[in-house]
Protein backbone atom coordinates (compact mmCIF):
# COMPACT_ATOMS: atom_id res chain seq x y z
CA UNK A 1 0.00 0.00 0.00
CA UNK A 2 2.93 2.31 0.39
CA UNK A 3 3.54 2.11 -3.36
CA UNK A 4 1.89 5.43 -4.16
CA UNK A 5 1.53 7.29 -0.82
CA UNK A 6 4.25 9.69 0.39
CA UNK A 7 3.88 10.38 4.09
CA UNK A 8 4.14 14.11 4.91
CA UNK A 9 3.15 14.59 8.56
CA UNK A 10 1.89 18.10 9.21
CA UNK A 11 1.97 18.69 5.43
CA UNK A 12 5.42 20.27 5.86
CA UNK A 13 6.26 19.72 2.21
CA UNK A 14 2.82 19.52 0.60
CA UNK A 15 1.27 22.19 -1.56
CA UNK A 16 -2.48 21.71 -1.06
CA UNK A 17 -3.69 24.15 -3.70
CA UNK A 18 -2.86 26.98 -6.08
CA UNK A 19 -3.80 30.38 -4.74
CA UNK A 20 -3.53 34.00 -5.91
CA UNK A 21 -4.32 35.57 -2.54
CA UNK A 22 -1.24 35.73 -0.28
CA UNK A 23 2.47 35.35 -1.01
CA UNK A 24 4.96 34.35 1.70
CA UNK A 25 8.71 34.05 1.37
CA UNK A 26 9.91 32.36 4.55
CA UNK A 27 13.62 32.83 3.84
CA UNK A 28 13.34 36.54 3.03
CA UNK A 29 10.56 37.28 5.52
CA UNK A 30 8.21 38.64 2.85
CA UNK A 31 4.38 38.80 3.18
CA UNK A 32 2.10 40.27 0.47
CA UNK A 33 -1.70 40.29 0.08
CA UNK A 34 -2.65 40.19 -3.65
CA UNK A 35 0.84 41.59 -4.43
CA UNK A 36 0.75 44.50 -1.97
CA UNK A 37 3.42 44.42 0.78
CA UNK A 38 2.20 44.08 4.33
CA UNK A 39 4.37 47.09 5.27
CA UNK A 40 2.54 49.28 2.74
CA UNK A 41 -0.93 48.06 3.67
CA UNK A 42 -0.36 48.38 7.43
CA UNK A 43 0.87 51.95 6.99
CA UNK A 44 -1.66 53.20 4.42
CA UNK A 45 -4.84 51.09 4.27
CA UNK A 46 -7.91 50.57 6.41
CA UNK A 47 -8.75 47.05 7.53
CA UNK A 48 -11.96 47.01 5.46
CA UNK A 49 -10.01 48.05 2.35
CA UNK A 50 -7.68 45.10 2.98
CA UNK A 51 -10.69 42.80 3.54
CA UNK A 52 -12.10 43.90 0.16
CA UNK A 53 -8.68 43.41 -1.49
CA UNK A 54 -8.29 39.88 -0.13
CA UNK A 55 -11.85 38.79 -0.96
CA UNK A 56 -12.34 40.48 -4.35
CA UNK A 57 -8.72 40.67 -5.55
CA UNK A 58 -8.34 44.43 -6.05
CA UNK A 59 -8.16 47.52 -3.82
CA UNK A 60 -11.67 49.05 -3.97
CA UNK A 61 -12.44 52.33 -5.73
CA UNK A 62 -14.10 54.94 -3.51
CA UNK A 63 -17.59 53.95 -4.68
CA UNK A 64 -16.86 50.21 -4.34
CA UNK A 65 -15.56 50.82 -0.82
CA UNK A 66 -18.55 52.96 0.19
CA UNK A 67 -20.93 50.28 -1.10
CA UNK A 68 -18.99 47.53 0.76
CA UNK A 69 -18.82 49.54 4.00
CA UNK A 70 -22.52 50.48 3.83
CA UNK A 71 -23.54 46.87 3.21
CA UNK A 72 -21.55 45.81 6.27
CA UNK A 73 -22.96 48.66 8.36
CA UNK A 74 -26.49 47.47 7.58
CA UNK A 75 -25.87 43.94 8.79
CA UNK A 76 -24.06 44.53 12.11
CA UNK A 77 -27.21 43.85 14.20
CA UNK A 78 -27.43 40.18 15.24
CA UNK A 79 -30.76 38.29 15.44
CA UNK A 80 -31.99 38.64 19.03
CA UNK A 81 -32.52 34.86 19.20
CA UNK A 82 -28.73 34.49 18.91
CA UNK A 83 -28.52 36.21 22.30
CA UNK A 84 -30.67 33.42 23.78
CA UNK A 85 -28.06 30.91 22.60
CA UNK A 86 -25.33 33.14 24.01
CA UNK A 87 -27.11 33.49 27.39
CA UNK A 88 -26.83 29.71 27.77
CA UNK A 89 -23.04 29.89 28.15
CA UNK A 90 -21.49 30.06 31.63
CA UNK A 91 -19.86 33.42 32.44
CA UNK A 92 -16.39 31.87 32.39
CA UNK A 93 -16.82 30.23 28.96
CA UNK A 94 -13.75 30.92 26.82
CA UNK A 95 -14.67 33.53 24.19
CA UNK A 96 -13.23 31.38 21.38
CA UNK A 97 -15.60 28.52 22.19
CA UNK A 98 -18.50 30.96 22.32
CA UNK A 99 -17.47 32.58 19.02
CA UNK A 100 -17.14 29.32 17.07
CA UNK A 101 -20.49 28.09 18.44
CA UNK A 102 -22.35 31.28 17.55
CA UNK A 103 -20.80 31.49 14.07
CA UNK A 104 -21.87 27.90 13.47
CA UNK A 105 -25.34 28.78 14.77
CA UNK A 106 -25.58 31.53 12.11
CA UNK A 107 -26.27 28.82 9.50
CA UNK A 108 -29.53 28.09 11.35
CA UNK A 109 -30.61 31.72 10.83
CA UNK A 110 -29.61 31.74 7.16
CA UNK A 111 -30.68 28.34 5.76
CA UNK A 112 -30.03 29.46 2.19
CA UNK A 113 -26.35 29.20 3.17
CA UNK A 114 -26.62 25.43 2.83
CA UNK A 115 -29.05 25.44 -0.05
CA UNK A 116 -27.04 24.47 -3.13
CA UNK A 117 -29.54 26.35 -5.30
CA UNK A 118 -28.70 29.63 -3.52
CA UNK A 119 -25.05 29.85 -4.56
CA UNK A 120 -25.56 33.47 -5.61
CA UNK A 121 -26.26 34.45 -1.99
CA UNK A 122 -22.57 33.93 -1.03
CA UNK A 123 -21.76 37.65 -1.14
CA UNK A 124 -24.58 38.33 1.34
CA UNK A 125 -23.23 35.69 3.75
CA UNK A 126 -19.76 37.24 3.39
CA UNK A 127 -21.20 40.64 4.37
CA UNK A 128 -23.09 39.08 7.30
CA UNK A 129 -19.95 37.38 8.65
CA UNK A 130 -17.80 40.52 8.38
CA UNK A 131 -20.59 42.60 9.92
CA UNK A 132 -21.64 40.35 12.78
CA UNK A 133 -18.41 38.77 14.01
CA UNK A 134 -17.27 41.92 15.87
CA UNK A 135 -20.72 42.34 17.42
CA UNK A 136 -20.79 38.72 18.64
CA UNK A 137 -17.16 38.87 19.79
CA UNK A 138 -17.84 41.69 22.26
CA UNK A 139 -20.69 39.83 24.04
CA UNK A 140 -18.31 37.55 25.97
CA UNK A 141 -16.31 40.50 27.26
CA UNK A 142 -19.41 42.45 28.36
CA UNK A 143 -20.83 39.36 30.14
CA UNK A 144 -17.48 38.75 31.89
CA UNK A 145 -17.66 42.34 33.21
CA UNK A 146 -21.29 41.98 34.27
CA UNK A 147 -22.07 44.83 31.83
CA UNK A 148 -24.89 45.10 29.29
CA UNK A 149 -23.93 44.36 25.67
CA UNK A 150 -23.79 47.32 23.27
CA UNK A 151 -25.55 47.52 19.95
CA UNK A 152 -23.44 48.57 16.96
CA UNK A 153 -23.57 52.24 15.89
CA UNK A 154 -23.84 52.96 12.19
CA UNK A 155 -22.16 56.32 12.59
CA UNK A 156 -18.86 54.61 13.44
CA UNK A 157 -16.40 52.86 11.12
CA UNK A 158 -15.49 49.19 11.53
CA UNK A 159 -12.74 49.45 14.16
CA UNK A 160 -14.37 52.33 16.07
CA UNK A 161 -17.64 50.36 16.19
CA UNK A 162 -15.83 47.34 17.66
CA UNK A 163 -14.20 49.52 20.34
CA UNK A 164 -17.54 51.17 21.09
CA UNK A 165 -19.26 47.78 21.52
CA UNK A 166 -16.38 46.58 23.73
CA UNK A 167 -15.96 49.55 26.04
CA UNK A 168 -19.03 51.83 25.94
CA UNK A 169 -21.17 51.90 29.10
CA UNK A 170 -24.70 53.33 29.45
CA UNK A 171 -23.45 55.85 32.00
CA UNK A 172 -21.34 58.00 29.67
CA UNK A 173 -20.66 58.74 26.01
CA UNK A 174 -17.72 56.58 24.86
CA UNK A 175 -15.07 58.48 22.91
CA UNK A 176 -12.94 56.31 20.60
CA UNK A 177 -9.26 57.19 21.11
CA UNK A 178 -7.74 57.56 17.59
CA UNK A 179 -4.46 56.06 18.84
CA UNK A 180 -6.33 52.94 19.95
CA UNK A 181 -8.37 52.76 16.73
CA UNK A 182 -5.24 53.10 14.56
CA UNK A 183 -3.35 50.44 16.55
CA UNK A 184 -6.31 48.09 16.18
CA UNK A 185 -6.51 48.81 12.45
CA UNK A 186 -2.83 47.85 12.00
CA UNK A 187 -3.16 44.68 14.09
CA UNK A 188 -6.25 43.51 12.18
CA UNK A 189 -4.49 44.10 8.83
CA UNK A 190 -1.42 42.16 9.97
CA UNK A 191 -3.59 39.15 10.90
CA UNK A 192 -5.82 39.23 7.80
CA UNK A 193 -4.37 36.29 5.84
CA UNK A 194 -1.39 33.98 5.81
CA UNK A 195 -1.74 31.48 2.92
CA UNK A 196 -2.37 27.84 3.93
CA UNK A 197 -1.90 28.01 7.74
CA UNK A 198 -3.65 25.49 9.96
CA UNK A 199 -6.95 27.35 10.39
CA UNK A 200 -7.17 28.43 6.74
CA UNK A 201 -6.49 24.87 5.59
CA UNK A 202 -9.28 23.79 7.96
CA UNK A 203 -11.70 26.30 6.42
CA UNK A 204 -10.79 25.03 2.94
CA UNK A 205 -11.06 21.36 3.89
CA UNK A 206 -14.48 21.75 5.54
CA UNK A 207 -15.67 23.93 2.67
CA UNK A 208 -14.41 21.40 0.12
CA UNK A 209 -17.19 19.01 1.17
CA UNK A 210 -19.56 21.89 0.19
CA UNK A 211 -20.42 22.55 3.80
CA UNK A 212 -21.81 26.08 4.21
CA UNK A 213 -19.60 29.11 4.82
CA UNK A 214 -20.66 29.55 8.49
CA UNK A 215 -19.73 25.94 9.35
CA UNK A 216 -16.42 26.35 7.50
CA UNK A 217 -15.49 29.59 9.28
CA UNK A 218 -16.56 28.12 12.63
CA UNK A 219 -14.15 25.21 12.02
CA UNK A 220 -11.39 27.73 11.29
CA UNK A 221 -12.08 29.52 14.59
CA UNK A 222 -11.72 26.22 16.42
CA UNK A 223 -8.42 25.41 14.71
CA UNK A 224 -7.10 28.92 15.45
CA UNK A 225 -7.85 28.43 19.18
CA UNK A 226 -5.03 25.88 19.54
CA UNK A 227 -2.01 27.13 21.56
CA UNK A 228 0.36 26.19 18.73
CA UNK A 229 -1.58 28.50 16.37
CA UNK A 230 -3.60 31.63 17.19
CA UNK A 231 -3.95 30.62 20.84
CA UNK A 232 -0.22 31.38 21.19
CA UNK A 233 -0.91 35.12 21.66
CA UNK A 234 -2.67 34.36 24.94
CA UNK A 235 0.04 31.86 25.95
CA UNK A 236 2.78 34.46 25.32
CA UNK A 237 1.37 36.97 27.81
CA UNK A 238 0.79 34.21 30.39
CA UNK A 239 4.41 33.07 29.86
CA UNK A 240 5.74 36.65 30.20
CA UNK A 241 3.68 37.14 33.37
CA UNK A 242 5.17 33.90 34.77
CA UNK A 243 8.68 35.17 34.00
CA UNK A 244 7.86 38.49 35.68
CA UNK A 245 6.45 36.72 38.75
CA UNK A 246 9.57 34.56 38.75
CA UNK A 247 11.85 37.58 39.09
CA UNK A 248 12.21 38.37 35.39
CA UNK A 249 15.11 35.96 34.77
CA UNK A 250 14.65 34.93 31.12
CA UNK A 251 17.67 32.55 31.05
CA UNK A 252 15.78 29.95 33.09
CA UNK A 253 12.99 29.90 30.46
CA UNK A 254 15.48 29.79 27.61
CA UNK A 255 17.03 26.70 29.25
CA UNK A 256 13.61 25.09 29.79
CA UNK A 257 12.77 25.63 26.10
CA UNK A 258 16.13 24.14 25.04
CA UNK A 259 15.29 21.03 27.04
CA UNK A 260 11.81 20.82 25.54
CA UNK A 261 11.99 17.02 25.37
CA UNK A 262 12.35 16.87 29.19
CA UNK A 263 10.45 20.01 30.19
CA UNK A 264 7.72 19.93 27.49
CA UNK A 265 8.09 23.74 27.53
CA UNK A 266 8.14 25.91 24.39
CA UNK A 267 8.75 29.63 24.09
CA UNK A 268 5.32 30.70 22.88
CA UNK A 269 5.50 33.38 20.20
CA UNK A 270 8.69 31.89 18.78
CA UNK A 271 9.19 29.76 15.74
CA UNK A 272 7.23 29.34 12.53
CA UNK A 273 6.66 26.64 9.95
CA UNK A 274 7.39 28.97 7.04
CA UNK A 275 9.38 31.94 8.36
CA UNK A 276 12.98 30.90 8.90
CA UNK A 277 13.80 34.55 9.29
CA UNK A 278 12.00 37.34 11.12
CA UNK A 279 8.20 37.23 10.75
CA UNK A 280 7.66 40.61 9.02
CA UNK A 281 4.49 41.08 11.08
CA UNK A 282 6.45 40.68 14.33
CA UNK A 283 8.81 43.47 13.25
CA UNK A 284 5.92 45.88 12.64
CA UNK A 285 4.11 44.87 15.86
CA UNK A 286 7.27 45.21 17.97
CA UNK A 287 7.76 48.80 16.75
CA UNK A 288 4.05 49.54 17.14
CA UNK A 289 4.19 48.28 20.74
CA UNK A 290 6.77 50.93 21.63
CA UNK A 291 4.80 53.67 19.81
CA UNK A 292 1.35 52.78 21.12
CA UNK A 293 2.39 52.28 24.75
CA UNK A 294 4.32 55.57 24.67
CA UNK A 295 1.34 57.45 23.14
CA UNK A 296 -1.07 55.89 25.66
CA UNK A 297 1.34 56.52 28.53
CA UNK A 298 1.26 52.83 29.39
CA UNK A 299 4.31 51.33 31.06
CA UNK A 300 4.02 47.54 30.83
CA UNK A 301 6.97 45.70 32.41
CA UNK A 302 6.33 42.61 30.31
CA UNK A 303 7.38 44.57 27.20
CA UNK A 304 10.92 44.81 28.56
CA UNK A 305 10.80 41.14 29.56
CA UNK A 306 9.67 40.26 25.99
CA UNK A 307 12.57 42.22 24.52
CA UNK A 308 14.99 40.57 26.94
CA UNK A 309 13.67 37.14 26.01
CA UNK A 310 13.98 37.92 22.29
CA UNK A 311 17.54 39.19 22.77
CA UNK A 312 18.56 36.09 24.75
CA UNK A 313 16.98 33.67 22.26
CA UNK A 314 18.48 35.35 19.20
CA UNK A 315 21.91 34.97 20.78
CA UNK A 316 21.46 31.34 21.69
CA UNK A 317 22.70 28.55 19.42
CA UNK A 318 19.58 26.40 19.98
CA UNK A 319 17.29 29.05 18.51
CA UNK A 320 19.70 30.32 15.90
CA UNK A 321 20.38 26.81 14.61
CA UNK A 322 16.64 26.05 14.38
CA UNK A 323 15.93 29.51 12.92
CA UNK A 324 13.42 30.31 15.66
CA UNK A 325 12.43 33.99 15.58
CA UNK A 326 9.58 35.91 17.20
CA UNK A 327 6.34 35.36 15.26
CA UNK A 328 3.17 37.42 14.92
CA UNK A 329 1.97 36.32 18.36
CA UNK A 330 5.01 37.41 20.35
CA UNK A 331 4.30 41.14 20.79
CA UNK A 332 0.65 41.43 19.76
CA UNK A 333 -0.75 40.67 23.22
CA UNK A 334 1.25 43.54 24.73
CA UNK A 335 -0.58 45.98 22.46
CA UNK A 336 -4.00 44.34 22.93
CA UNK A 337 -3.53 44.66 26.70
CA UNK A 338 -2.58 48.33 26.39
CA UNK A 339 -5.83 48.82 24.41
CA UNK A 340 -7.77 47.41 27.36
CA UNK A 341 -8.51 44.04 25.77
CA UNK A 342 -8.33 41.14 28.27
CA UNK A 343 -5.98 38.20 27.71
CA UNK A 344 -8.71 35.65 27.01
CA UNK A 345 -9.93 37.85 24.12
CA UNK A 346 -6.55 37.96 22.34
CA UNK A 347 -7.26 34.99 20.08
CA UNK A 348 -10.72 36.41 19.33
CA UNK A 349 -8.88 39.51 18.04
CA UNK A 350 -6.81 37.21 15.84
CA UNK A 351 -10.05 35.65 14.50
CA UNK A 352 -11.58 39.06 13.71
CA UNK A 353 -8.41 39.94 11.79
CA UNK A 354 -8.21 36.56 10.00
CA UNK A 355 -11.88 36.47 8.97
CA UNK A 356 -11.44 38.18 5.56
CA UNK A 357 -8.54 35.82 4.78
CA UNK A 358 -10.60 32.75 5.64
CA UNK A 359 -13.46 34.11 3.52
CA UNK A 360 -11.17 34.89 0.56
CA UNK A 361 -9.59 31.43 0.67
CA UNK A 362 -12.98 29.68 0.99
CA UNK A 363 -14.34 31.69 -1.96
CA UNK A 364 -11.25 30.90 -4.09
CA UNK A 365 -11.53 27.19 -3.23
CA UNK A 366 -15.16 27.16 -4.36
CA UNK A 367 -14.52 29.24 -7.49
CA UNK A 368 -11.61 26.96 -8.44
CA UNK A 369 -13.96 23.99 -7.92
CA UNK A 370 -11.35 22.25 -5.76
CA UNK A 371 -12.12 18.55 -5.22
CA UNK A 372 -13.16 17.38 -1.74
CA UNK A 373 -10.06 17.07 0.43
CA UNK A 374 -9.37 13.44 1.27
CA UNK A 375 -5.72 12.48 1.96
CA UNK A 376 -4.53 8.85 2.21
CA UNK A 377 -2.41 7.19 4.92
CA UNK A 378 0.21 4.51 5.52
CA UNK A 379 -1.56 1.72 7.40
CA UNK A 380 0.33 0.33 10.42
CA UNK A 381 -2.41 -1.73 12.12
CA UNK A 382 -2.81 -5.53 12.35
CA UNK A 383 -3.15 -7.74 9.27
CA UNK A 384 -6.35 -9.81 8.74
CA UNK A 385 -7.47 -11.73 11.82
CA UNK A 386 -10.52 -13.92 12.71
CA UNK A 387 -13.28 -12.69 15.03
CA UNK A 388 -13.25 -14.42 18.47
CA UNK A 389 -16.49 -14.57 20.47
CA UNK A 390 -16.50 -12.80 23.81
CA UNK A 391 -16.64 -16.17 25.66
CA UNK A 392 -13.34 -17.09 24.05
CA UNK A 393 -11.52 -13.81 24.80
C1 LIG B 1 0.74 31.24 14.10
O1 LIG B 1 1.23 28.82 9.83
C2 LIG B 1 1.03 30.04 10.01
O2 LIG B 1 1.20 30.91 9.13
C3 LIG B 1 0.52 30.41 11.39
C4 LIG B 1 0.40 31.90 11.68
C5 LIG B 1 -0.69 32.53 10.86
O3 LIG B 1 -0.61 33.75 10.62
O4 LIG B 1 -1.66 31.84 10.53
O5 LIG B 1 1.63 32.54 11.38
C6 LIG B 1 0.05 32.17 13.14
O6 LIG B 1 0.21 30.22 14.44
C7 LIG B 1 2.13 31.60 14.57
C8 LIG B 1 2.78 30.47 15.45
C9 LIG B 1 2.24 30.62 16.87
N1 LIG B 1 2.68 29.46 17.69
C10 LIG B 1 3.59 29.61 18.66
O7 LIG B 1 4.19 30.64 18.91
C11 LIG B 1 3.81 28.32 19.47
C12 LIG B 1 5.31 28.07 19.61
N2 LIG B 1 5.84 27.72 18.31
C13 LIG B 1 6.00 26.33 17.99
O8 LIG B 1 5.08 25.47 18.58
C14 LIG B 1 6.39 26.03 16.55
O9 LIG B 1 7.41 26.88 16.25
C15 LIG B 1 5.32 26.11 15.48
C16 LIG B 1 4.11 25.34 15.82
C17 LIG B 1 4.98 27.52 15.23
C18 LIG B 1 5.96 25.53 14.21
O10 LIG B 1 6.19 24.21 14.45
P1 LIG B 1 6.95 23.30 13.36
O11 LIG B 1 7.18 24.02 12.09
O12 LIG B 1 6.21 21.98 13.30
O13 LIG B 1 8.34 23.16 13.99
P2 LIG B 1 8.78 22.00 14.99
O14 LIG B 1 7.73 21.88 16.09
O15 LIG B 1 9.10 20.80 14.18
O16 LIG B 1 10.08 22.61 15.63
C19 LIG B 1 11.35 22.48 15.00
C20 LIG B 1 12.34 22.44 16.15
C21 LIG B 1 11.99 21.39 17.20
O17 LIG B 1 13.20 21.07 17.85
P3 LIG B 1 13.94 19.65 17.45
O18 LIG B 1 12.86 18.58 17.43
O19 LIG B 1 14.50 19.90 16.06
O20 LIG B 1 15.01 19.43 18.49
O21 LIG B 1 12.32 23.70 16.83
C22 LIG B 1 11.88 23.50 18.17
C23 LIG B 1 11.18 22.15 18.22
O22 LIG B 1 11.30 21.58 19.53
N3 LIG B 1 10.93 24.59 18.46
C24 LIG B 1 10.92 25.29 19.57
C25 LIG B 1 9.89 26.25 19.39
N4 LIG B 1 9.35 26.09 18.21
C26 LIG B 1 9.99 25.06 17.62
N5 LIG B 1 11.65 25.20 20.70
C27 LIG B 1 11.36 26.11 21.67
N6 LIG B 1 10.41 27.05 21.57
C28 LIG B 1 9.65 27.16 20.45
N7 LIG B 1 8.71 28.08 20.34
Amino acid sequence: QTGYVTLDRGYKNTGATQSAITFLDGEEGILRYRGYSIEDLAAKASFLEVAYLLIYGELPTKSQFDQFENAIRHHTIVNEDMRKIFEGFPVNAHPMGVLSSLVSAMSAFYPDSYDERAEDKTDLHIIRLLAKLPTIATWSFKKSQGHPVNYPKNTLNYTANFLHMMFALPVAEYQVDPVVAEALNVLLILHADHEQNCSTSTVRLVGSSRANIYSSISAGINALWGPLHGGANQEVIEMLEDIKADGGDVSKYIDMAKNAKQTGFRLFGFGHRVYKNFDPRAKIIKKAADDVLAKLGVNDPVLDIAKGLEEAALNDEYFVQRKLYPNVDFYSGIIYRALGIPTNMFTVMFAIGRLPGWIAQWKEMREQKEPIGRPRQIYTGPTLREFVSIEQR
Side-chain angles (χ1 to χ4, degrees), residues 12 24 190-191 193-200 224 227-230 232-233 236 257-258 260-261 265-276 279 281 318-319 322 324 327-329 350 354:
K12 295 193 173 188
L24 295 196
L190 293 175
H191 286 82
D193 194 51
H194 215 238
E195 62 135 90
Q196 305 308 315
N197 60 85
C198 177
S199 55
T200 299
L224 187 72
L228 295 188
H229 192 12
N233 59 15
V236 167
K258 288 163 69 173
K261 305 259 190 290
F265 175 78
R266 280 197 166 188
L267 283 191
F268 284 99
F270 266 80
H272 199 277
R273 174 65 58 76
V274 177
Y275 290 124
K276 298 310 172 193
D279 181 331
R281 302 166 296 177
Y318 175 94
F319 294 87
R322 289 169 177 78
L324 302 174
N327 59 46
V328 67
D329 292 316
F350 195 144
R354 184 53 53 89

